[in-house]
Amino acid sequence: MGLETAHWLIGGNRRRLDAMTDDMWGAGDYQAVAQKVTSIADVLVRRAHVESGMTVLDVACGTGNASIAAAELGARVTGLDFSPHLIAVARELGAEANVDIEWLEGDAQSLPFNDDSFDRVISAIGHMFAPDHRRTADELRRVSRKDGCIAIACWTPEGSIGAMFQRLGEISAPPPPGFQSPLLWGTEDHVRELLGDGVEFERHDVEFDEPSAASYADFMLTRFPPLVALRADVGDEIVRETYLRWVDEVNEADDGTLRYRGEYLVAVT
Ligand SMILES: C[S@@+](CC[C@H](N)C(=O)[O-])C[C@H]1O[C@@H](n2cnc3c(N)ncnc32)[C@H](O)[C@@H]1O
């Protein structure tokens, strides 16, 4: 099992590395999945020392977990994502939370902002899916103020969720030429190479506590967009079987419920 097997994750970009070819992330119900990982947004916003009045860009914001957390602290937030559907959901959730956020459709590899635009640039398990890592890193740096800070989070390859992505990669179609695994963003060497030696790292876990392995598998297989796309690509049965095998491996509970931890790497510079 190698990192290269996680290529199916690049989703909307998986047929052409340089193009947004479909709204893969808009399929399923990412909003429901995002509710289980809000702690990542809280860690990032805290680690980036987001304060009232700061300008904050949340790259690949999805349904807005980190954007809303930053705006609730009084920051002037822009949330950017290339999924029109998720931006529409984020806009609704921002309004429900009673915060004022600018929501934009756009590509993390080509950010529609001037140099030095933001005090804080953050991404919670989002930037990792843009296929060209060097371009993405350069864009994060370019739009960040020189006295500002970039804080990003990515699943680690050795953690449970890293393993899940790799297992499912083994049953998906071969990667396009030039593919770099999203999980490389969860390794210190790769992030240092992209963002420089001054990066500080922390490891955190998302704790998942679910009524049962089977109900969780049903939930994820029908709601998590990359799983929905993979089932359409290679068939439900093999995806379900592979996913259930992985759930059994990572389950730490012995009382019929499901408990597991998903490790992620936070990089701050
Ligand atoms: C796992 S979700 C994370 C969303 C959100 N940051 C959160 O914490 O829930 C990954 C997100 O990356 C977005 N994404 C993937 N590739 C992108 C790209 N090249 N540019 C912008 N957004 C991208 C997807 O649309 C999706 O919303």
Side-chain angles (χ1 to χ4, degrees), residues 216-254:
Y216 180 69
D218 279 344
F219 171 86
M220 289 296 282
L221 287 162
T222 52
R223 288 178 175 78
F224 185 50
L227 282 171
V228 173
L230 189 61
R231 285 171 55 224
D233 276 358
V234 301
D236 179 59
E237 204 173 317
I238 186 166
V239 179
R240 191 171 287 271
E241 201 182 286
T242 310
Y243 192 80
L244 279 168
R245 210 175 320 122
W246 166 78
V247 168
D248 271 350
E249 277 168 24
V250 297
N251 194 358
E252 296 169 16
D254 53 13

Side-chain angles (χ1 to χ4, degrees), residues 1 8 157 159-169 216 220 224 227 242-243 246 250 260:
M1 182 166 74
W8 60 284
S160 298
I161 294 184
M164 182 263 285
F165 286 155
Q166 292 169 75
R167 287 283 145 70
L168 290 162
Y216 180 69
M220 289 296 282
F224 185 50
L227 282 171
T242 310
Y243 192 80
W246 166 78
V250 297
Y260 78 97

Side-chain angles (χ1 to χ4, degrees), residues 191-203:
V191 177
R192 250 190 231 108
E193 196 184 310
L194 292 172
L195 292 175
D197 286 335
V199 186
E200 289 174 17
F201 295 100
E202 284 176 9
R203 278 163 200 272

Side-chain angles (χ1 to χ4, degrees), residues 13 25 30 34 60-62 65 81-83 86 106-108 124-126 129-130:
N13 289 299
W25 283 96
Y30 182 67
C61 64
N65 278 357
D81 199 284
F82 77 173
S83 163
L86 294 188
D107 184 356
I125 52 166
F129 296 104

Side-chain angles (χ1 to χ4, degrees), residues 74-189:
R76 287 150 47 212
V77 180
T78 304
L80 173 138
D81 199 284
F82 77 173
S83 163
H85 175 70
L86 294 188
I87 282 290
V89 175
R91 186 171 279 118
E92 276 171 30
L93 294 179
E96 272 170 32
N98 211 14
V99 286
D100 194 15
I101 294 173
E102 186 180 4
W103 301 107
L104 281 181
E105 280 173 38
D107 184 356
Q109 302 164 116
S110 175
L111 294 171
F113 309 108
N114 294 331
D115 298 358
D116 306 313
S117 290
F118 296 94
D119 297 311
R120 300 289 183 264
V121 176
I122 58 181
S123 186
I125 52 166
H127 65 293
M128 60 183 277
F129 296 104
D132 188 327
H133 296 195
R134 167 53 62 199
R135 251 173 82 188
T136 304
D138 288 351
E139 282 295 85
L140 299 181
R141 268 211 177 294
R142 184 184 65 74
V143 302
S144 168
R145 286 170 54 120
K146 299 304 161 258
D147 58 351
C149 141
I150 299 171
I152 53 181
C154 176
W155 303 115
T156 62
E158 62 276 20
S160 298
I161 294 184
M164 182 263 285
F165 286 155
Q166 292 169 75
R167 287 283 145 70
L168 290 162
E170 286 166 356
I171 57 165
S172 71
F179 167 78
Q180 286 183 290
S181 169
L183 294 171
L184 283 168
W185 282 101
T187 68
E188 296 187 11
D189 284 351

